[in-house]
Amino acid sequence: MDKTLERRIKEAPKLPRVYFDHAATTAPGQEVTKLLLSVLRDNYGNPSSFYKEGHQAARILEESRASIAGGLGVLPEEIFFTSCGTESDNWAIKGAARARQGRGRHLITSTIEHHAVLHTMEALEKEGFEVTYLEVDDQGLIDPRTVQAAIRPDTTLVSVMMANNEIGTLEPIDEIGAICRKANVIFHSDAVQALGALPVQPRDLNCDLMSFSGHKLYAPKGIGLLYKRKGLRIERLLDGGAQERRQRGGTENVAYAAAFAKAFELSLAGMESESKRQVGLRDRLIKAVIESVPHTKLNGHPDKRLPNNANFSFEFIEGESILLLLDSLGYACSSGSACTSASLDPSHVLLAIGMPAEIAHGSLRVTIGRETGEEEIDRFLVDIPLVIERLREMSPLYADYNKGKLKALIPPQGGMDVKMKGGYGLE
Amino acid sequence: MDKTLERRIKEAPKLPRVYFDHAATTAPGQEVTKLLLSVLRDNYGNPSSFYKEGHQAARILEESRASIAGGLGVLPEEIFFTSCGTESDNWAIKGAARARQGRGRHLITSTIEHHAVLHTMEALEKEGFEVTYLEVDDQGLIDPRTVQAAIRPDTTLVSVMMANNEIGTLEPIDEIGAICRKANVIFHSDAVQALGALPVQPRDLNCDLMSFSGHKLYAPKGIGLLYKRKGLRIERLLDGGAQERRQRGGTENVAYAAAFAKAFELSLAGMESESKRQVGLRDRLIKAVIESVPHTKLNGHPDKRLPNNANFSFEFIEGESILLLLDSLGYACSSGSACTSASLDPSHVLLAIGMPAEIAHGSLRVTIGRETGEEEIDRFLVDIPLVIERLREMSPLYADYNKGKLKALIPPQGGMDVKMKGGYGLE
Amino acid sequence: MEYSEKVLDHFMKPRNMGEIPDADASGTVGNPICGDIMKMDLKIENNIIVDAKFKTFGCGSAIATSSMATELIIGKTTDEALDITNQAVAEALDGLPKVKMHCSVLAEQAVKKALEQYYLNHDMMTPERQAKFEILGQNEHD
Amino acid sequence: MEYSEKVLDHFMKPRNMGEIPDADASGTVGNPICGDIMKMDLKIENNIIVDAKFKTFGCGSAIATSSMATELIIGKTTDEALDITNQAVAEALDGLPKVKMHCSVLAEQAVKKALEQYYLNHDMMTPERQAKFEILGQNEHD
Ligand SMILES: Cc1ncc(COP(=O)(O)O)c(C=O)c1O
Ligand SMILES: Cc1ncc(COP(=O)(O)O)c(C=O)c1O
């Protein structure tokens, strides 16, 4: 067994943890939790109530809404608070599809959407809707022309994400939105991963509906947003009280709304420089990992990608075991491996970009954040080759490869854009 | 103008505010916010993630679920976290109705449910379901025999609340549940107002589905629960990731889940003595208000009512103006008046118990809480007669009554159980 | 939904609240089922409103607009008073919440109801004046 | 989903990892498309398993169950080894998360695949033994 790896595992508990899973969730910032706490303590009133405490809460809620609307370049009445990105996706898609079913029951989305979109589409299929799933290329890009080609007279809604959560690819949603607008089809975009990382201006992007989630941008888990273009009518998902302009019942989570607004404000303030900084770290990481670990490829697009996202495939090994070793070395990362998903399927995104299942199982997603510095990258670059080497040592596939019994799917030198055709042909 | 009232208004800002709207929402307790903050800071991981931070968050989530399940006498896997009581109501009712629509499309509820139930029913009516709305008596009670009588072969779901949020009446849901069980009809109960105030044991109450909301028991706004009896299949409301045993997508709001569990635990610990204490305060308040303000009646049932709820009707005046004066005197209360609801309709609950609209407009709900002491009641008993007197002075109806042009609907001595028939007959 | 300082001031210290026993004109509008009634008594000398008093059953804005309306009309000629719109009353109160604008309509209606009685009693109704009473046909609740 | 200390220990310090070049029996199960492959080499003397080595492509529990399986069978007779079930492997690891039980099935299968080869090569397959290889027909993924 490799002595260096053992030593580093032993030393890891003395070092700070390295959180490399910002695409999964982020730690709420201090300013954000401070504000949140103050709202919980001093502004606990029900915003619908008719007295001082209620008015105060309502004011905070509306100021938060206005501030977010300002950042998105939209009207406050176009912003609706929800409980998460998933709710926003469900509401937007079910709400629009059901509201327009008199005109048609055909919907369009892509194969690489988040489950909040895909499973919503499947639920609608059970209701009798027909859904076209657009394919993506091997870097995860959707060709807007395929959207154009898929639109039919009975198409009522297109939903394409702004940025993919696994491979980080940025989609040309402005072009897709323009096509939809021309065709008089509603366009929804899941921008959960984009908000806080990239400028998001629903109007410029030709979006009618857009989903966001606070916990991806250093606000807490459990608050989301739906942008709904003024005048667009969709069905409610949560029927109830008169909250949120009668569009979403439920006593408002004022504290989290304020936290979202604050987190968004902070993200906007530093966005340009932070984005540049993260792209620098990301690109250094990608280059160094591919160079130092043989048979490694980058997944997703080399530069049309989220500033914080690096996604690798390491041949011959499985992703969960990578995560386990990394965890014991102090890193929190994620994988598209079936074994780390509660669903036990390998990532539908990796399969959708044409990756053979045997390679998809060996993926690793590293998503950095605003606390990430050069030190974390340096440290990671020491550890990752040890981890991969150790697991390959154990791998019967790697042994077969070394014995010449198996042809590698990723060449030794790896790369940013390795094309793969088919798997090992073993069954 | 009455000098005493003027003086008391002038002095009120120097006195502490009196929060008498615990049915609308409660202020999170210190222990609860402390825990919440510590989770946000130290346990921000995504519970689905495969590393230390994720496992920690998952542990907190599952410990919270188990603790709540323990308090309710149910299994942890029967508890689902949602974003609010409204979501729980929507999910339970739409989920059960849609899942069983093959068997039938008839639903039963009452006329005094919360809008989260009633508007959900209306949405289902648009989908083709038929809904029977059971009437209540003049104290807001549902006769279980009317449930029995309303059940048809195509009935799939009955939804009746455990405690009414406006008039505080407690419904015989155990009996209703037994009837449903016998008839093989799903029984849902909105127990949002009951949890924290009364013992709630879904099994003993014969409930298949039960909705709860954290912010009614000193947890924050934006977290709810659905109890779903094991084995019962209902459709999802939020399709998405594999969270909540695949039944509700969305990254879990771990901090609020922990807060809910803590708040529930605290409520259980002190429930018996706190309930007795509140009933004492409530009954003193009710008796004194009726005695000191002529033409005043109690709404709801004299003792089958929530320990914290007092709901009055003051004849000849309108509720919003009562709230405004009370607010300036330092009190936060609520009213069933059309003018305080965003919907501009007078309370459907007050109308459902047979109250003429002209009386419904003059209702006042006082809901006390664990911070309420004798002092607050004493202070209120000084102020409320002044407020009512002042508004009656301004009221043309009261002038007409004094001139003998109008017959009072509530006798001068008022009471706990005044029967009313029809209105003034003015139009 | 929150009221302006001015609305609150007029609600808390209503001007001209009461009745005028020997009023020259009087108008009552609204109904208790909808939750608001406004009664306006006017004392008129030489076509000038020398006094006005109101009684109102209704919400805060109903009371405040009643109060403000009396202030706006006292000292005005009846014809000048006829030109005071609900918007003018609302503006004088630094605005009303959107859902409360109907209350200001009620105030305009109450004044007009009284003036209508006055013009009719004194045989002063002309077609031009008549045109200004259109609002009385309106339902104040939509 | 969290692993027991023991699973983690076997994952981090796998016992008997490697290959036996002159193995008396060898079995490979699983497939890379499903994300796990386990190869088990056995050295057998007088029907006693004197050495076992594994190589595994798969998740943490696949590696830990491989490692534990080798520990459980070394020193046992082939017939004793045949009686070691996936539950026994999982229990020896202080349990596995529910969604991971299939990995322990894989370990049982790998051992049996090797033993099957051994019995067949040495013409020792009997109906009673044959009955114990049923699991090899099973798909480990359901
Ligand atoms: C009886 C009842 N049901 C449902 C709700 C809705 O709960 P929430 O505001 O958490 O959605 C409330 C309170 O608002 C309620 O009192
Ligand atoms: C692209 C995308 N959409 C939707 C979601 C769902 O957001 P939430 O977890 O807030 O429901 C996520 C993250 O989980 C995401 O990455």
Side-chain angles (χ1 to χ4, degrees):
Chain A
M1 266 318 119
D2 183 62
K3 283 282 173 285
T4 326
L5 181 63
E6 306 302 322
R7 210 190 53 236
R8 291 197 60 97
I9 288 175
K10 212 175 208 161
E11 283 166 6
K14 287 170 243 157
L15 299 174
R17 292 280 299 175
V18 177
Y19 188 74
F20 272 172
D21 203 11
H22 290 80
T25 198
T26 55
Q30 251 207 315
E31 271 191 81
V32 169
T33 48
K34 216 179 108 189
L35 173 65
L36 198 165
L37 193 69
S38 89
V39 175
L40 284 177
R41 281 195 183 149
D42 307 329
N43 301 97
Y44 60 88
N46 185 328
S48 305
S49 293
F50 194 76
Y51 42 73
K52 189 165 159 256
E53 290 80 358
H55 299 320
Q56 266 175 9
R59 228 177 286 137
I60 291 175
L61 186 69
E62 295 317 321
E63 282 166 9
S64 304
R65 195 189 312 278
S67 149
I68 291 168
L72 293 169
V74 302
L75 303 172
E77 60 257 44
E78 296 180 314
I79 295 297
F80 298 86
F81 287 106
T82 67
S83 69
C84 57
T86 299
E87 185 189 329
S88 300
D89 284 339
N90 272 260
W91 184 13
I93 296 170
K94 291 175 181 170
R98 289 174 185 158
R100 302 223 156 181
Q101 55 187 320
R103 300 193 203 183
R105 289 163 76 83
H106 178 239
L107 316 169
I108 298 172
T109 189
S110 85
T111 50
I112 61 162
E113 298 296 313
H114 190 269
H115 280 156
V117 169
L118 288 178
H119 290 162
T120 296
M121 290 290 179
E122 286 160 22
L124 287 170
E125 284 178 316
K126 283 195 198 132
E127 283 182 30
F129 287 86
E130 195 186 330
V131 182
T132 298
Y133 298 90
L134 299 176
E135 301 207 341
V136 299
D137 72 11
D138 56 7
Q139 297 180 322
L141 276 174
I142 291 161
D143 183 341
R145 285 168 305 184
T146 65
V147 178
Q148 179 70 67
I151 291 177
R152 313 187 315 206
D154 60 341
T155 307
T156 55
L157 173 81
V158 172
S159 178
V160 171
M161 71 201 320
M162 185 163 174
N164 183 272
N165 45 304
E166 292 192 38
I167 56 175
T169 302
L170 307 179
E171 303 298 341
I173 61 164
D174 51 341
E175 292 176 54
I176 297 172
I179 289 167
C180 293
R181 192 137 293 177
K182 242 189 186 154
N184 195 22
V185 167
I186 299 178
F187 181 50
H188 165 255
S189 184
D190 175 337
V192 166
Q193 287 289 337
L195 198 75
L198 306 170
V200 178
Q201 299 278 309
R203 285 198 210 301
D204 296 348
L205 296 167
N206 300 310
C207 289
D208 299 303
L209 294 159
M210 226 166 180
S211 304
F212 307 105
S213 181
H215 72 101
K216 309 292 186 181
L217 50 140
Y218 310 95
K221 285 170 267 303
I223 180 93
L225 290 180
L226 181 66
Y227 160 77
K228 181 169 78 65
R229 183 175 52 70
K230 199 176 168 171
L232 178 68
R233 208 189 67 74
I234 66 174
E235 286 199 5
R236 276 185 295 269
L237 189 69
L238 298 198
D239 288 289
Q243 293 93 350
E244 298 293 309
R245 305 171 68 79
R246 294 162 195 269
Q247 300 307 304
R248 198 249 186 210
T251 306
E252 301 92 334
N253 189 347
V254 185
Y256 274 19
F260 195 138
K262 170 59 79 183
F264 183 41
E265 179 199 312
L266 292 173
S267 80
L268 287 178
M271 186 173 291
E272 210 170 326
S273 64
E274 179 59 15
S275 166
K276 210 174 279 172
R277 194 186 72 85
Q278 290 194 12
V279 167
L281 290 174
R282 175 196 79 187
D283 288 347
R284 179 160 86 83
L285 173 75
I286 290 173
K287 197 160 162 283
V289 167
I290 291 174
E291 278 175 10
S292 65
V293 184
H295 303 286
T296 298
K297 81 177 278 284
L298 177 74
N299 299 318
H301 196 281
D303 39 71
K304 285 181 190 164
R305 75 184 301 133
L306 285 168
N308 76 339
N309 177 297
N311 189 310
F312 304 101
S313 282
F314 299 104
E315 193 166 1
F316 310 121
I317 58 176
E318 193 276 338
E320 192 213 82
S321 52
I322 306 177
L323 296 193
L324 267 179
L325 275 181
L326 284 176
D327 191 18
S328 72
L329 284 159
Y331 305 90
C333 303
S334 109
S335 167
S337 151
C339 285
T340 62
S341 81
S343 72
L344 289 184
D345 293 318
S347 152
H348 66 280
V349 176
L350 297 180
L351 298 179
I353 59 174
M355 188 176 291
E358 38 269 73
I359 302 296
H361 286 295
S363 79
L364 177 74
R365 182 183 71 179
V366 174
T367 45
I368 60 177
R370 64 184 186 202
E371 325 91 55
T372 311
E374 300 283 354
E375 326 78 76
E376 279 87 17
I377 304 290
D378 292 336
R379 180 174 153 194
F380 185 74
L381 289 174
V382 172
D383 287 318
I384 188 70
L386 301 173
V387 166
I388 304 303
E389 201 181 296
R390 159 68 159 278
L391 292 170
R392 282 182 178 163
E393 239 173 67
M394 289 204 243
S395 167
L397 290 173
Y398 190 57
D400 284 353
Y401 166 71
N402 282 326
K403 291 174 196 156
K405 290 198 214 165
L406 198 77
K407 257 192 67 175
L409 297 170
I410 303 174
Q413 76 281 9
M416 308 267 281
D417 189 16
V418 175
K419 305 285 177 196
M420 279 180 298
K421 280 238 163 59
Y424 296 128
L426 307 172
E427 243 334 307
Chain B
M1 267 318 120
D2 182 63
K3 283 282 174 283
T4 326
L5 180 64
E6 304 302 323
R7 209 190 53 237
R8 290 196 61 94
I9 290 175
K10 212 177 208 156
E11 284 165 6
K14 285 171 244 156
L15 299 174
R17 292 280 298 175
V18 177
Y19 187 73
F20 271 172
D21 203 11
H22 289 80
T25 198
T26 55
Q30 250 207 316
E31 272 191 77
V32 168
T33 49
K34 217 180 109 189
L35 174 65
L36 197 165
L37 194 69
S38 88
V39 175
L40 284 177
R41 281 196 182 150
D42 307 330
N43 301 96
Y44 61 88
N46 185 327
S48 305
S49 293
F50 193 77
Y51 42 73
K52 189 164 160 258
E53 290 80 357
H55 300 320
Q56 268 176 9
R59 230 177 286 137
I60 292 175
L61 186 69
E62 295 316 321
E63 283 166 10
S64 305
R65 193 190 313 278
S67 148
I68 291 167
L72 293 169
V74 302
L75 302 171
E77 59 257 44
E78 296 180 314
I79 295 298
F80 298 85
F81 287 107
T82 67
S83 69
C84 56
T86 299
E87 186 190 329
S88 300
D89 283 339
N90 273 260
W91 185 11
I93 296 170
K94 291 176 180 168
R98 288 174 185 158
R100 303 223 155 181
Q101 54 186 321
R103 302 194 203 182
R105 289 162 76 81
H106 178 240
L107 315 170
I108 299 172
T109 190
S110 85
T111 50
I112 61 161
E113 299 296 312
H114 190 268
H115 280 156
V117 169
L118 287 178
H119 290 163
T120 295
M121 291 290 178
E122 286 160 22
L124 287 170
E125 284 178 317
K126 283 195 197 132
E127 283 181 32
F129 288 84
E130 195 186 330
V131 183
T132 298
Y133 297 90
L134 300 175
E135 302 207 340
V136 298
D137 72 10
D138 57 6
Q139 297 180 323
L141 276 174
I142 291 161
D143 183 339
R145 285 168 304 183
T146 64
V147 178
Q148 180 70 67
I151 291 178
R152 313 188 314 206
D154 61 339
T155 307
T156 56
L157 173 83
V158 171
S159 178
V160 171
M161 70 201 322
M162 185 163 174
N164 183 272
N165 47 303
E166 291 190 39
I167 56 176
T169 302
L170 306 180
E171 302 299 341
I173 62 163
D174 50 343
E175 292 176 53
I176 296 172
I179 289 168
C180 292
R181 191 137 296 177
K182 242 189 187 156
N184 195 21
V185 167
I186 299 178
F187 181 49
H188 166 255
S189 183
D190 176 337
V192 166
Q193 287 289 336
L195 197 75
L198 305 171
V200 178
Q201 299 278 308
R203 284 197 211 302
D204 297 348
L205 296 167
N206 301 310
C207 290
D208 299 302
L209 294 159
M210 226 166 180
S211 304
F212 307 105
S213 181
H215 71 101
K216 309 292 186 182
L217 50 142
Y218 310 95
K221 285 170 267 302
I223 181 92
L225 289 181
L226 181 66
Y227 159 76
K228 180 170 78 64
R229 182 175 53 70
K230 200 176 166 169
L232 178 68
R233 209 189 66 73
I234 66 173
E235 286 199 5
R236 276 185 294 269
L237 189 70
L238 297 198
D239 289 289
Q243 293 93 350
E244 297 294 308
R245 305 173 68 80
R246 294 162 195 270
Q247 299 308 304
R248 197 249 187 211
T251 305
E252 301 92 333
N253 189 347
V254 186
Y256 273 19
F260 196 137
K262 169 62 79 186
F264 183 41
E265 179 199 314
L266 293 173
S267 80
L268 287 179
M271 186 173 290
E272 211 171 324
S273 63
E274 178 60 14
S275 166
K276 210 173 281 172
R277 194 186 71 85
Q278 289 193 14
V279 167
L281 290 174
R282 176 197 77 186
D283 288 347
R284 179 160 87 84
L285 173 75
I286 291 173
K287 195 160 164 285
V289 167
I290 291 174
E291 279 175 11
S292 66
V293 184
H295 303 286
T296 297
K297 81 177 279 284
L298 176 74
N299 299 317
H301 197 280
D303 39 72
K304 286 181 191 166
R305 74 184 302 134
L306 285 169
N308 75 339
N309 176 297
N311 189 309
F312 304 100
S313 281
F314 300 104
E315 193 166 1
F316 311 121
I317 59 177
E318 192 277 337
E320 192 213 84
S321 52
I322 305 177
L323 296 192
L324 266 178
L325 275 182
L326 283 176
D327 191 20
S328 72
L329 285 159
Y331 305 91
C333 302
S334 110
S335 166
S337 150
C339 285
T340 62
S341 81
S343 71
L344 289 185
D345 293 318
S347 155
H348 65 281
V349 176
L350 298 180
L351 298 180
I353 59 174
M355 188 177 288
E358 38 270 71
I359 301 296
H361 286 295
S363 80
L364 177 73
R365 180 184 71 180
V366 175
T367 46
I368 60 177
R370 64 184 185 202
E371 325 90 56
T372 311
E374 300 282 355
E375 326 79 76
E376 279 87 16
I377 304 289
D378 291 338
R379 179 172 154 197
F380 185 75
L381 289 174
V382 173
D383 286 320
I384 189 69
L386 300 173
V387 166
I388 305 303
E389 201 181 297
R390 160 67 159 277
L391 292 170
R392 284 184 176 160
E393 238 173 69
M394 289 203 243
S395 167
L397 291 172
Y398 192 58
D400 283 354
Y401 166 71
N402 283 326
K403 290 174 198 156
K405 289 198 213 164
L406 198 76
K407 256 191 66 174
L409 297 170
I410 303 175
Q413 75 280 10
M416 307 267 280
D417 189 17
V418 175
K419 306 284 175 196
M420 280 180 296
K421 280 236 162 61
Y424 296 128
L426 305 172
E427 242 338 304
Chain C
M1 199 215 60
E2 227 177 324
Y3 289 131
S4 69
E5 285 295 324
K6 211 135 178 194
V7 170
L8 287 178
D9 183 58
H10 274 262
F11 169 75
M12 303 293 283
K13 305 187 195 94
R15 330 293 199 251
N16 307 305
M17 201 281 290
E19 292 180 286
I20 304 179
D22 58 341
D24 296 296
S26 190
T28 301
V29 294
N31 86 57
I33 294 176
C34 295
D36 36 28
I37 302 180
M38 218 178 265
K39 176 166 175 280
M40 189 68 67
D41 292 344
L42 304 181
K43 191 92 206 129
I44 300 173
E45 286 171 13
N46 300 325
N47 290 336
I48 290 173
I49 299 170
V50 295
D51 198 10
K53 290 221 184 286
F54 78 92
K55 282 220 167 182
T56 294
F57 159 81
C59 62
S61 61
I63 290 169
T65 51
S66 312
S67 164
M68 178 54 85
T70 59
E71 287 224 314
L72 290 180
I73 60 172
I74 291 176
K76 297 267 194 320
T77 66
T78 52
D79 281 350
E80 284 168 347
L82 214 51
D83 283 330
I84 291 169
T85 61
N86 68 312
Q87 280 93 344
V89 177
E91 270 163 38
L93 288 165
D94 294 343
L96 283 175
K98 224 162 135 189
V99 293
K100 292 294 187 177
M101 278 306 287
H102 69 93
C103 300
S104 63
V105 172
L106 208 64
E108 182 185 339
Q109 286 179 318
V111 171
K112 292 206 164 150
K113 193 84 175 268
L115 289 173
E116 183 183 45
Q117 189 196 28
Y118 177 77
Y119 287 132
L120 291 173
N121 284 353
H122 294 78
D123 213 8
M124 289 164 65
M125 190 60 88
T126 61
E128 301 86 67
R129 284 181 179 143
Q130 185 65 58
K132 299 196 173 156
F133 289 102
E134 248 176 33
I135 196 172
L136 293 181
Q138 265 179 240
N139 181 334
E140 71 274 21
H141 271 105
D142 49 36
Chain D
M1 199 214 58
E2 227 178 322
Y3 288 131
S4 69
E5 285 295 323
K6 210 135 177 197
V7 170
L8 287 177
D9 182 57
H10 274 263
F11 169 76
M12 303 294 284
K13 304 186 195 97
R15 330 295 200 249
N16 308 305
M17 200 281 291
E19 293 179 286
I20 304 180
D22 58 342
D24 296 296
S26 190
T28 301
V29 294
N31 85 57
I33 293 174
C34 295
D36 34 29
I37 301 182
M38 218 179 265
K39 179 167 171 280
M40 187 70 67
D41 292 344
L42 306 181
K43 192 90 205 132
I44 301 174
E45 285 169 16
N46 300 324
N47 289 337
I48 291 172
I49 298 170
V50 295
D51 199 10
K53 289 219 183 290
F54 77 91
K55 282 219 166 181
T56 295
F57 160 81
C59 62
S61 60
I63 290 169
T65 51
S66 313
S67 163
M68 178 53 85
T70 60
E71 288 223 314
L72 289 180
I73 59 172
I74 290 174
K76 296 266 191 323
T77 65
T78 52
D79 280 351
E80 285 168 347
L82 214 51
D83 282 331
I84 291 169
T85 61
N86 67 313
Q87 280 94 343
V89 177
E91 271 164 35
L93 287 166
D94 294 345
L96 284 174
K98 221 162 137 191
V99 292
K100 293 295 186 176
M101 278 305 289
H102 69 94
C103 300
S104 63
V105 173
L106 209 63
E108 182 186 338
Q109 285 179 318
V111 171
K112 292 207 164 148
K113 192 84 174 267
L115 290 174
E116 182 182 47
Q117 190 195 25
Y118 177 76
Y119 287 131
L120 290 175
N121 283 353
H122 294 76
D123 212 6
M124 291 164 64
M125 189 61 87
T126 61
E128 300 86 68
R129 284 180 179 142
Q130 185 66 57
K132 299 196 171 155
F133 289 103
E134 250 178 30
I135 196 173
L136 293 180
Q138 265 177 243
N139 182 334
E140 72 275 20
H141 270 105
D142 50 37

